[in-house]
Amino acid sequence: MSGEGKIVAGFVAPHPPHLVYAENPPQNEPRSEGGWETLRWAYDHVRRAIDELKPDVLLVHSPHWITQVGHHFLGVKHLKGKSVDPIFPNLFRYNFDMQIDVDLAEACCAESEAAGLVAQMMRNPNFRVDYGTITTLHMVRPQWDIPVVGISANNSPYYLQLGEGMEQMERLGVATREAIRKSGKRAVLLASNTFSHYHFKEEPVPPEDMSREHPERYDGYKWDVRMINLMREGKIREVMDLFPQWVDEAFAEVKSGAFPWMISAMDYPTIPAVLHGYGSVIGTGNAVMEWRLAA
Amino acid sequence: MSIVSAFLIPGNPLPFLRPDNPPWAGLAEGARAAGKALAESKPDVLLIYSTQWMAVLDQLWQAREHSTDIHVDENWYAFGDLQANLRADVDLVHACIEAAVAAGIKSKAVDYDGFPIDTGTIVATGFVNPTGEIKAVVAANNLYHDFAMTEKLAKLAAEQAELQGKRVAVLAVGGLSGKYIDEKIDIAADQFGGENDDVHNRKLLSLMAAGDVAALRAWLPDYAKATGADMGMKHLAWILGATGGFRGAKTLAYGPTYGAGAAVVQFEL
């Protein structure tokens, strides 16, 4: 690589396994009749954006790799196996095969430690990658031909006060940005989280029956719309100011850290975000959004 | 009731993977002692609830006849791999599902190749049922089920076992205080993560030892709040529901697991 690396775009890229299930890719065992089309059409825009941007690496922060001690990074060059979702095993039994950008992961880990965070590399070759990471990556780039950096969700936003946890995620974002800059690579960031996370307690039969799909709670929906509008207006500081209230009142999954990590890594972009689509999955609010930082 | 023994077993894998580490050696030894006591009670089936198998939609029950995958814990992967060896009592699992549905609790069987049996279940059965010969019913921890609902599920499962004439050992798999130390430590010097966790944990264990179930129930919410207890101690609800209460308890081992509290407890029925 020559010159300084850069973050060319960041996406909010939620991970309901229902989206993979609905698409019926060969990697996933269960078959469906479709469903959640509006969100899957939204991801079509992301796939085209990735084609245009030609990134060297995709970095994903997943709420479903929860770590108690520090921030962890996938650190095995090639990870392969079957990831069965422990919550939705009827929908997601995915044979994954991914290349990890270990050099960049190590750089992110080192920058995180230099920033005072607890960080470590995951070196176990038998590690089963979580369904959040896989779903986001599949929906963004089903060809699996771009190396990835997988980042865990340290439990600090739940274990500590929200503000302390968010401060860690924002420092992680700065560390990620610095590692990318030094790498010389073109990077895309993926915040794998849902917005409002109120959801159904029982699963419709069949799960893809879209006549049953709707936001679980109106207040959660209204919060999502409010925040999406602010993002579309480029008012990211207002978004972050409202962040604690959004988390509290919409039970928003952004609490797990992916969103503040990405926004911090992009240095709080004031360009308007592009909304590719919004829809509910078992009642949760899911937005697919893009901040394009470079051509 | 056909309950012949009941135990609290830690779900944290560290004592299992590193029994040579002094702070965890006692927990490993205690869990093996629990296994010996369990074997002496001659159960036909294990009734297991693990805080680490989390569900959010419906109540899930493990129905795979024999699960044998290698499992790598998402936190403690550096300490080694875990080998699942779990045989489901399929008849009893389906009876539990039917009974739960009849009781208004939507339930589903889980029977999938590659399903990730949770760390807690693998560790607990690795200690007390290392050959995997004793069949099991494993119920998920639905995050939206409270203490009372968990108790109801356990009671219902125990009743189904009794209807099938089976001798039951109850396993509640989970920790005590939940405060991990969020930094790299010398594991040989492991200690509790919260300032007063040790005091609170010991009080919990003493209430169990006294068999004072009423006092235990009354104090649990305060204990859970003060210590960030593992899933609000819903695994204890599993014991109470399945056994209908206990006369006392013996703490076979107690200690920290990277800050979080853990104990091996044998209940007197």
Side-chain angles (χ1 to χ4, degrees):
Chain A
M1 302 292 168
S2 60
E4 290 198 341
K6 60 184 169 186
I7 297 166
V8 293
F11 294 86
V12 175
H15 60 260
H18 305 66
L19 304 181
V20 171
Y21 166 71
E23 188 178 287
N24 291 314
Q27 298 100 324
N28 199 34
E29 288 178 359
R31 297 291 99 183
S32 74
E33 298 173 5
W36 300 281
E37 276 74 12
T38 53
L39 277 167
R40 293 196 287 124
W41 292 332
Y43 268 113
D44 285 345
H45 293 285
V46 179
R47 290 173 178 180
R48 281 197 288 275
I50 298 296
D51 281 339
E52 291 164 12
L53 289 164
K54 296 182 173 44
D56 300 308
V57 59
L58 306 172
L59 294 93
V60 58
H61 188 289
S62 170
H64 290 284
W65 179 16
I66 302 167
T67 49
Q68 304 288 353
V69 183
H71 306 263
H72 299 210
F73 299 81
L74 295 179
V76 177
K77 191 167 178 50
H78 181 208
L79 286 166
K80 184 178 180 180
K82 182 156 77 171
S83 183
V84 178
D85 180 351
I87 294 174
F88 300 103
N90 53 325
L91 307 182
F92 191 87
R93 303 191 297 277
Y94 190 99
N95 292 289
F96 65 92
D97 188 341
M98 63 173 70
Q99 299 296 325
I100 307 299
D101 186 336
V102 177
D103 290 343
L104 182 56
E106 288 175 343
C108 289
C109 186
E111 292 287 349
S112 300
E113 288 187 304
L117 296 171
V118 178
Q120 72 180 59
M121 297 296 296
M122 195 300 296
R123 306 283 194 190
N124 190 319
N126 296 324
F127 191 77
R128 178 182 58 87
V129 180
D130 70 283
Y131 75 89
T133 297
I134 294 171
T135 295
T136 288
L137 288 167
H138 175 91
M139 296 311 295
V140 167
R141 189 68 177 175
Q143 301 92 323
W144 292 95
D145 58 353
I146 301 174
V148 306
V149 171
I151 308 172
S152 77
N154 174 256
N155 204 36
S156 54
Y158 299 88
Y159 178 66
L160 305 172
Q161 295 295 314
L162 177 63
E164 295 173 82
M166 288 307 104
E167 190 277 328
Q168 283 204 30
M169 297 304 171
E170 291 176 319
R171 250 194 296 164
L172 181 69
V174 173
T176 303
R177 185 204 314 155
E178 189 61 9
I180 291 167
R181 185 185 68 77
K182 290 177 181 172
S183 74
K185 292 174 180 170
R186 292 169 59 82
V188 161
L189 307 185
L190 304 168
S192 170
N193 51 215
T194 289
F195 285 177
S196 168
H197 207 238
Y198 294 120
H199 55 74
F200 304 164
K201 302 297 186 293
E202 295 185 358
E203 187 171 56
V205 179
E208 59 266 41
D209 179 352
M210 289 296 99
S211 71
R212 308 278 302 278
E213 190 59 80
H214 58 83
E216 170 71 353
R217 279 179 47 165
Y218 184 41
D219 53 349
Y221 174 80
K222 284 196 293 186
W223 257 112
D224 287 356
V225 170
R226 180 180 180 185
M227 299 302 265
I228 288 167
N229 278 333
L230 289 172
M231 292 176 207
R232 295 177 74 200
E233 293 166 11
K235 295 178 177 172
I236 201 67
R237 287 290 179 187
E238 285 186 42
V239 169
M240 298 315 290
D241 288 345
L242 288 167
F243 190 86
Q245 198 181 347
W246 182 26
V247 164
D248 186 42
E249 295 181 14
F251 189 41
E253 198 187 29
V254 291
K255 182 177 182 177
S256 62
F259 185 81
W261 160 76
M262 181 175 79
I263 294 299
S264 167
M266 294 192 298
D267 202 15
Y268 304 92
T270 53
I271 57 168
V274 174
L275 174 69
H276 291 307
Y278 177 83
S280 64
V281 178
I282 59 163
T284 63
N286 296 269
V288 180
M289 306 192 73
E290 175 181 355
W291 284 261
R292 182 79 63 104
L293 301 183
Chain B
M1 295 290 265
S2 55
I3 308 298
V4 295
S5 56
F7 304 89
L8 178 70
I9 307 282
N12 186 299
L14 295 173
F16 187 80
L17 292 168
R18 288 292 305 274
D20 57 312
N21 184 42
W24 304 334
L27 288 165
E29 195 177 328
R32 282 192 291 270
K36 189 166 179 288
L38 182 144
E40 287 167 359
S41 72
K42 297 184 170 46
D44 300 310
V45 65
L46 309 176
L47 215 55
I48 301 174
Y49 177 93
S50 170
T51 57
Q52 292 184 58
W53 181 16
M54 294 179 227
V56 297
L57 283 186
D58 309 327
Q59 174 60 38
L60 304 182
W61 304 78
Q62 183 53 245
R64 190 80 177 165
E65 196 160 332
H66 194 191
S67 300
T68 57
D69 284 344
I70 295 288
H71 176 75
V72 178
D73 187 85
E74 65 181 0
N75 277 285
W76 313 112
Y77 50 78
F79 291 89
D81 298 353
L82 295 163
Q83 171 71 59
N85 185 12
L86 182 71
R87 286 184 171 81
D89 184 332
V90 178
D91 287 345
L92 184 53
V93 166
H94 286 289
C96 290
I97 291 170
E98 285 178 23
V101 170
I105 307 165
K106 194 175 177 195
S107 290
K108 285 195 298 204
V110 168
D111 181 3
Y112 302 104
D113 172 52
F115 183 87
I117 304 296
D118 70 280
T119 294
T121 297
I122 295 175
V123 166
T125 54
F127 273 127
V128 306
N129 184 29
T131 62
E133 287 172 1
I134 309 170
K135 291 185 176 181
V137 171
V138 188
N141 161 24
N142 185 307
L143 297 180
Y144 297 97
H145 288 172
D146 60 12
F147 200 89
M149 176 65 89
T150 307
E151 212 170 332
K152 183 177 174 180
L153 276 169
K155 181 172 187 289
L156 172 157
E159 286 168 352
Q160 293 306 308
E162 185 167 29
L163 284 172
Q164 293 191 1
K166 288 173 178 167
R167 296 168 60 84
V168 175
V170 184
L171 293 185
V173 184
L176 301 181
S177 55
K179 293 176 184 164
Y180 284 92
I181 301 169
D182 190 6
E183 58 188 70
K184 289 171 185 169
I185 62 168
D186 173 6
I187 59 171
D190 196 3
Q191 55 187 316
F192 294 101
E195 194 179 344
N196 295 312
D197 286 357
D198 186 33
V199 173
H200 292 311
N201 289 336
R202 287 181 188 279
K203 179 176 175 183
L204 182 83
L205 294 170
S206 71
L207 288 172
M208 289 184 197
D212 192 345
V213 173
L216 190 60
R217 286 182 188 279
W219 188 61
L220 270 175
D222 289 340
Y223 168 75
K225 190 175 177 187
T227 64
D230 188 9
M231 290 291 156
M233 294 305 292
K234 284 200 295 179
H235 41 313
L236 193 55
W238 187 254
I239 294 283
L240 288 168
T243 62
F246 48 84
R247 289 190 293 113
K250 182 179 177 186
T251 300
L252 302 177
Y254 166 65
T257 48
Y258 221 101
V264 182
V265 177
Q266 180 178 2
F267 295 91
E268 295 170 19
L269 306 176

